[in-house]
Every structure is written in structure tokens, then in C-alpha cells.
Amino acid sequence: MYGVVNATPKMFLTHVYTHVNISSMNKVNALELRQSMGKVIDQILKTGEPILLEKSRRPVAVIISIRDYEERFVEKDAANRRREIIEGIENMARPSLIAESVVDVIHESRNVR
């Protein structure tokens, strides 16, 4: 297989590191992928399992179904964005840290003129 295989190598997916057990994944090399892309797609559609893409006997990428992609990345990004919006709203709703009241500020502004 490989020179040295780590049971849980880190693979870079967008900005998130994730652990993948490559020993149990279905694998395809770059040449096989070029020659039989349709079969690889059919396998993903049928099983829903990710497929490890190898080049020169080294793992280089993982092919996942659109459902897995949406669950892992799109929905996660949307949830993060919702959380940021909620935090922003909560920050706006917090009482002011300024000790002066609005009335004091208005009186002070009238005296300055």
C-alpha cells in the first residue's frame, strides 16, 4: 500500500482539519478516475461512502456526495453565520456602559451652545 500508513492522518478540507481513517475507505487512483468517472459517481450515489483519491499511491483528495458536502460544510457555515447574527443582535440589546443618562447628555449639549 503506502510506505508508512498513519491510521488517522490529517487531511486539509477547506479551512478545517479532519481525521480520516483511510484504511477502511474505498480508493481510486487518478488514472482509474479518469477512465471510469461514471462508475465512481455511481458508486458514491449508491453507497454514499466517500472515496479516497490517490496519486502515485498517496492520498491526495476525498470525493464525497453532495449530501455529505451540504451536511458538513454548507449547513455548518449557515449555522455559524446565524450564530454571528444572533451575537450581533444580543450585543446591540445590551445596556450602554456609559454612566451618563440620555437626559444628562442633552442638558450638557444645550449648555455647550
Side-chain angles (χ1 to χ4, degrees):
M1 275 178 83
Y2 312 108
V4 176
V5 177
N6 182 350
T8 55
K10 287 185 179 178
M11 299 188 75
F12 189 68
L13 299 174
T14 64
H15 63 283
V16 178
Y17 283 99
T18 183
H19 292 283
V20 178
N21 185 353
I22 63 172
S23 62
S24 65
M25 291 180 71
N26 292 323
K27 300 172 187 171
V28 64
N29 66 40
L31 178 61
E32 292 169 338
L33 182 63
R34 281 193 301 269
Q35 293 174 344
S36 58
M37 175 67 91
K39 290 180 182 178
V40 171
I41 292 172
D42 289 342
Q43 183 179 358
I44 292 172
L45 291 173
K46 181 180 176 183
T47 65
E49 296 294 319
I51 297 176
L52 182 68
L53 176 60
E54 298 176 330
K55 185 172 183 179
S56 301
R57 297 184 181 212
R58 294 177 159 243
V60 294
V62 176
I63 304 169
I64 61 173
S65 68
I66 193 69
R67 180 178 175 198
D68 283 348
Y69 171 78
E70 289 171 347
E71 287 175 0
R72 295 177 186 183
F73 301 103
V74 175
E75 290 178 14
K76 183 178 179 182
D77 288 344
N80 287 340
R81 183 67 184 129
R82 282 190 298 272
R83 192 176 314 110
E84 290 172 2
I85 291 170
I86 290 169
E87 287 175 5
I89 292 169
E90 288 173 347
N91 288 338
M92 287 188 285
R94 290 191 182 132
S96 174
L97 299 176
I98 300 172
E100 293 179 300
S101 71
V102 174
V103 175
D104 293 336
V105 172
I106 292 173
H107 286 296
E108 191 174 307
S109 67
R110 287 182 181 166
N111 290 336
V112 172
R113 291 183 181 177

